[in-house]
Amino acid sequence: MKNYSIVRIGNEYVVQANEKSVLKISSRRRAARLVTDAAELLDSQSSPLAPPDADAEPSTARDTGVIPDPPEVP
């Protein structure tokens, strides 16, 4: 998270990301730790999957993860 701030309002701290308030907490240390944890999680995410090739043909392979509907009972 590159664009964040922690602002004290009264007895509480508000974490702001891109100038939007996203979290209110009573401890500045806890707010800073949560921001650090969130940044680490965002950094650890794998890169988004590449969009499918526009020239690729659709697959006709059966999806083996799908359970077929049971036969109808008369």
Side-chain angles (χ1 to χ4, degrees), residues 13-64:
Y13 294 89
V14 177
V15 177
Q16 296 178 334
N18 293 328
E19 298 181 16
K20 285 188 176 183
S21 297
V22 293
L23 176 69
K24 188 187 292 187
I25 195 161
S26 60
S27 166
R28 182 168 184 3
R29 286 183 183 177
R30 182 83 173 128
R33 182 68 194 152
L34 289 171
V35 167
T36 302
D37 290 346
E40 288 174 3
L41 285 172
L42 289 171
D43 289 341
S44 70
Q45 284 183 337
S46 62
S47 62
L49 296 175
D53 225 1
D55 297 335
E57 293 184 28
S59 172
T60 56
R62 185 172 187 180
D63 184 359
T64 58

